Amino acid sequence: DPMPENMPVPRVTLTKAALVSARVITLVLTGKDKRKLVEKALKDGASSNLPIGRLLADLEMDIDIHWCA
């Protein structure tokens, strides 16, 4: 698990506006299912039925994606 054991919450949710205005975006994924989901979202782009796909299509910067099985 890439997250520290002492994290106060399992994840943080931000608005699309906050994410689009970020200077750096890094996705951390674990598991084959999540990788397939993000790969499909990237392929579908702005027409994706997944919020991550629409967000990634709206970004005007490169992002880092870190994945582990």
Side-chain angles (χ1 to χ4, degrees):
D1 188 355
M3 302 302 282
E5 290 183 21
N6 61 349
M7 290 291 296
V9 294
R11 64 179 168 186
V12 175
T13 301
L14 299 172
T15 65
K16 183 177 179 181
L19 291 168
V20 170
S21 68
R23 291 184 297 176
V24 176
I25 294 180
T26 302
L27 294 180
V28 178
L29 310 171
T30 57
K32 293 177 187 176
D33 292 340
K34 289 180 186 172
R35 181 179 176 162
K36 288 179 185 179
L37 184 113
V38 170
E39 287 174 343
K40 179 172 179 7
L42 286 167
K43 180 181 173 189
D44 294 346
S47 64
S48 177
N49 64 343
L50 301 169
I52 188 68
R54 296 189 301 273
L55 169 71
L56 295 174
D58 286 348
L59 295 176
E60 296 180 3
M61 70 176 90
D62 293 333
I63 64 166
D64 292 315
I65 300 175
H66 298 273
W67 171 79
C68 66

